[in-house]
Amino acid sequence: MPRHLLPTTVVGSYPQPEWLVDRAMLSKSVPRTRMHEMWRLPQEHLEEAQDDATIVAIRDMERAGIDIVTDGEIRRESYSNRFATALDGIDIDKPAIIVSRAGHETPVPRVVGKIRRTRPVELRDMEFLRRNTDHAAKITLPGPFTMSQQARNEFYEDDEELAMAFAEAVNAEALDLQQAGADVIQLDEPWVRNNPELAKRYAVKAINRALQGITVPTVVHLCFGYAAVVPGSTKPAGYSFLAELADTSAEQISIEAAQPRLDLGILKDLSSKKIMLGVLDLGDPQIETAETVADRIRQGLKYVAPERLIPAPDCGMKYMPRDVAFGKLKAMCTAAATVRREIS
């Protein structure tokens, strides 16, 4: 793990190349069920192609200067669907359909039996990442509360029981990832702010069960949605479920701050945690200058001590053009180095 102040990292995903995925198809949704048709290569060549694209993502992060890298989530169709649909108890052949208030239909996993993890899902991903970088390495998992909100429950007594079943599965996976060399393990829990009243009942309990026995640094990430899907103008200036995360066993809380112009005063509620602060606006197609990003880091330092601040993008970079993603990461790393010199 990096020892210097303001270590840089990413939230998780990095742009998948056009030769690997149909990006036009991908841009239309954040799939909850599998979307095999988005992959451009036949099954017999897909794993090798994903490996190659993963190496490209790792090298881009290293070249940009990122201290704690990921595998770019290159093998995933979304941040959650690959893990969620690999569990026993999910009917992957007959998904449920939910209809949003706007009338949009979304297929979601249907829970028809006991949720069980019968095999590793991301273990090879972590092993591959560990073999291909000497940087600190982070891997991400969908959080149990979020997965419970993205599924149709047709088996468990209530959503809390479902979330705790997902938590048990996530924990088994996280323990394997730790054994495989993960330096940081992150849970993505964006749905705690979508349904804060329900989250207040049991989200912290589920998160803590998912992280039970993990001894490497852990992160809980929450955001307002991918910039490509949710415009900044529709994002609130504060989180409806944030202070509650102080009660999680996670060492770090990752938040989106640049695009929604977040009031950073709310960080006072998380004085016991390290903060992964989003300082890259992924809704802006322009690459920020290093000075712009440095100012965002300086704003964060008004509320968070330097040893607790970790600069990062707002959210995953999956939907961005690769050259823009790389440029933004490079600007962030330059900015972090500038501010680091100022406070050393």
Side-chain angles (χ1 to χ4, degrees), residues 211-276:
L211 296 178
Q212 186 175 316
I214 302 301
T215 57
V216 299
T218 53
V219 187
V220 174
H221 168 70
L222 62 161
C223 64
F224 301 111
Y226 289 108
V229 179
V230 184
S233 59
T234 68
K235 295 183 178 184
Y239 283 97
S240 51
F241 189 92
L242 186 64
E244 292 83 357
L245 294 176
D247 293 329
T248 67
S249 57
E251 177 187 274
Q252 304 172 22
I253 306 300
S254 166
I255 61 169
E256 176 185 6
Q259 187 190 23
R261 307 295 188 263
L262 195 70
D263 175 5
L264 297 184
I266 60 173
L267 298 179
K268 294 176 181 177
D269 295 332
L270 295 171
S271 59
S272 64
K273 304 295 186 184
K274 291 185 177 181
I275 302 297
M276 254 179 71

Side-chain angles (χ1 to χ4, degrees), residues 26-209:
L26 178 66
S27 69
K28 295 177 181 177
S29 68
V30 182
R32 312 291 182 225
T33 54
R34 295 309 302 266
M35 189 185 279
H36 297 291
E37 63 273 20
M38 93 173 199
W39 301 103
R40 292 193 183 278
L41 284 86
Q43 190 63 40
E44 62 267 27
H45 300 307
L46 185 56
E47 184 174 81
E48 181 180 7
Q50 290 170 336
D51 285 351
D52 290 347
T54 297
I55 290 174
V56 170
I58 295 169
R59 294 293 173 264
D60 268 12
M61 291 180 220
E62 291 175 340
R63 287 192 306 119
I66 296 295
D67 295 305
I68 304 167
V69 305
T70 71
D71 68 345
E73 301 179 4
I74 297 298
R75 298 175 181 85
R76 307 187 199 183
E77 294 146 10
S78 78
Y79 70 96
S80 63
N81 74 335
R82 183 159 172 258
F83 184 81
T85 59
L87 303 173
D88 267 16
I90 301 292
D91 187 338
I92 60 175
D93 297 318
K94 297 178 181 177
I97 302 294
I98 61 171
V99 181
S100 71
R101 293 176 182 175
H104 298 132
E105 294 187 349
T106 303
V108 298
R110 196 160 58 92
V111 180
V112 297
K114 181 177 173 59
I115 293 293
R116 292 188 306 130
R117 172 189 175 269
T118 57
R119 60 178 177 83
V121 182
E122 298 181 19
L123 180 59
R124 183 181 178 277
D125 305 3
M126 186 62 239
E127 292 171 339
F128 187 86
L129 173 58
R130 186 70 285 163
R131 286 196 306 271
N132 283 282
T133 187
D134 58 4
H135 283 47
K138 176 170 72 174
I139 194 157
T140 66
L141 286 164
F145 182 83
T146 289
M147 282 193 288
S148 72
Q149 296 298 294
Q150 292 180 349
R152 172 74 61 80
N153 179 16
E154 298 180 6
F155 178 79
Y156 288 95
E157 183 176 336
D158 55 31
D159 286 350
E160 179 175 354
E161 190 178 4
L162 174 60
M164 296 308 295
F166 275 126
E168 187 173 335
V170 170
N171 181 246
E173 183 80 3
L175 289 168
D176 275 357
L177 297 175
Q178 176 176 259
Q179 186 67 28
D183 296 301
V184 181
I185 294 175
Q186 175 179 304
L187 300 186
D188 293 330
E189 281 284 19
W191 280 64
V192 295
R193 67 144 210 106
N194 284 0
N195 197 338
E197 292 308 313
L198 201 61
K200 288 174 183 176
R201 284 174 42 200
Y202 58 83
V204 169
K205 176 183 174 183
I207 289 168
N208 287 346
R209 175 65 185 92

Side-chain angles (χ1 to χ4, degrees), residues 299-317:
Q299 285 298 311
L301 289 172
K302 292 180 180 180
Y303 303 95
V304 181
E307 59 272 16
R308 294 198 298 114
L309 189 67
I310 302 166
D314 263 1
C315 199
M317 304 184 104

